[in-house]
Amino acid sequence: MPVAWLDIHDSNLQIWHGDLHLSSPGYALLDAGQYRFGQDARAAARLRPRDISTRYWWQLNTDALQPALGPARHTADLVHAHLQALHREAGAPDELLLAAPGSMRKEQVALLLGIIQQCPFAAVGLVNRSVALASLHPPETTLFHLEIQLHQALLSEVRRDGTEVLLHKVTPLPGCGLLALQERVVEAAASAFIRQTRFDPRRRAETEQQLYNALPGTLRTLRDAAETSLSVNGYHARLTRHDLQAASRTLLDAVTGNLPREHPPTLMLDPVAALLPELRSRLAAIVLQDGDMQRALALHEPRLLQRAEALVFVERLPAAAGAAANTAPEPAAPKPLPRATHLLRHAEARALRVDGTSLGAGWSLVADAAGGWRLHAGPDAGELTVNNGPCHDGDCVASGDRLQLADGTEALLIRVSE
């Protein structure tokens, strides 16, 4: 059975096991005496705030849980229950390779490994997640990784040492976590509703939850457009990039205040941070993709596995790009994906030329700077799979890719010689 990979990032824990990929944000919901985790718990955050906990990964310890939440004695019990739930949903793998943030203190790492000893799986590797991500990118003297956790942001400095990258410094940025960012974006959106419709979606828990649920799609749209429309409970309001400037200002000031003023380094942005327009426009950054952690763990798995000895928290790895540069005088450019020219819909007798084509259910194809095509998800985008696997807004697609919507509609990207 293959080793499963677990990325411990409380904004969105992810586990990969074979072909299975699961996401589970660090929310715990007490429901009828039992705990539910992840997406279901997050969807109830505004409806049942007294039954929700979001601090258990960040404050992992054995202190009495305050406020109490069901049978859990402390945050360690909630972490144990969340790990058990992830393990079941991932098909009960025997072994897990873990990627953890630099904010996790030594005593928390020791406690986490102790918790795992009481679980029906073994931890066989542990690596700093910022170092793993930095190892994928071109050689730099210094890289900074901006990680948006639920209750704080984390700025990790990763330096190059020969052909390796190693963790140098970790700086917490309090007040800049995902929950604080959401509050600021919601405030901007609610102000737009009040100005334009006199409706305040924060007055009722149900409409406030609808507003929170709409945030990811709204930010994705504003990444590529100057404005978008929000709909809550039959009311509609326009939201612009300018409206979001104040939402990202605290984070922007905290980040720039901790970066060198001379020779600004490259900054790796979490996908969530990259959705804030002002952050992307003001900082020279590499935008991390959803599959980067999976690629990093797959690349380094043989080196990271530590089955025969006590686990060491690995904070140094070979730089993949640097190693390639040292073994070849002129590294070959990556082979470009075959660019599609037409979209062939299932059961249709004609092929449509790909040019900003709408796929349906809120999805479309947009040209990228490299001359290929990327998926674009609108605010109300439904489920879409590519080659029977999950996909995300911004993913590249090419000739030969098969797209399928939730209603069964299928289309094939093809290349037609002119």
Side-chain angles (χ1 to χ4, degrees), residues 288-364:
L288 296 171
Q289 302 301 309
D290 291 332
D292 281 355
M293 181 59 73
Q294 181 186 19
R295 291 198 298 124
L297 295 178
L299 175 67
H300 296 294
E301 182 185 273
R303 174 182 292 267
L304 294 174
L305 293 180
Q306 305 172 54
R307 291 189 177 98
E309 65 263 19
L311 287 189
V312 174
F313 196 175
V314 175
E315 296 181 338
R316 175 191 288 263
L317 284 173
N326 288 333
T327 56
E330 296 219 5
K335 185 178 180 180
L337 292 171
R339 188 176 190 272
T341 60
H342 290 73
L343 184 74
L344 183 64
R345 296 187 188 277
H346 183 66
E348 286 189 10
R350 62 192 181 93
L352 301 175
R353 180 176 291 277
V354 179
D355 186 11
T357 303
S358 172
L359 302 174
W363 289 88
S364 58

Side-chain angles (χ1 to χ4, degrees), residues 265-416:
T266 301
L267 181 69
M268 297 188 300
L269 280 182
D270 266 2
V272 169
L275 292 177
L276 296 169
E278 189 173 14
L279 210 60
R280 286 192 68 182
S281 63
R282 294 279 299 276
L283 299 171
I286 296 170
V287 178
L288 296 171
Q289 302 301 309
D290 291 332
D292 281 355
M293 181 59 73
Q294 181 186 19
R295 291 198 298 124
L297 295 178
L299 175 67
H300 296 294
E301 182 185 273
R303 174 182 292 267
L304 294 174
L305 293 180
Q306 305 172 54
R307 291 189 177 98
E309 65 263 19
L311 287 189
V312 174
F313 196 175
V314 175
E315 296 181 338
R316 175 191 288 263
L317 284 173
N326 288 333
T327 56
E330 296 219 5
K335 185 178 180 180
L337 292 171
R339 188 176 190 272
T341 60
H342 290 73
L343 184 74
L344 183 64
R345 296 187 188 277
H346 183 66
E348 286 189 10
R350 62 192 181 93
L352 301 175
R353 180 176 291 277
V354 179
D355 186 11
T357 303
S358 172
L359 302 174
W363 289 88
S364 58
L365 293 169
V366 296
D368 65 15
W373 299 102
R374 288 182 180 273
L375 296 169
H376 174 67
D380 301 316
E383 183 180 350
L384 174 71
T385 61
V386 176
N387 302 324
N388 297 318
C391 63
H392 304 86
D393 182 51
D395 283 358
C396 293
V397 289
S399 178
D401 285 338
R402 186 175 297 278
L403 318 176
Q404 184 173 39
L405 298 171
D407 64 2
T409 301
E410 290 188 9
L412 179 67
L413 284 166
I414 62 175
R415 181 174 180 82
V416 178

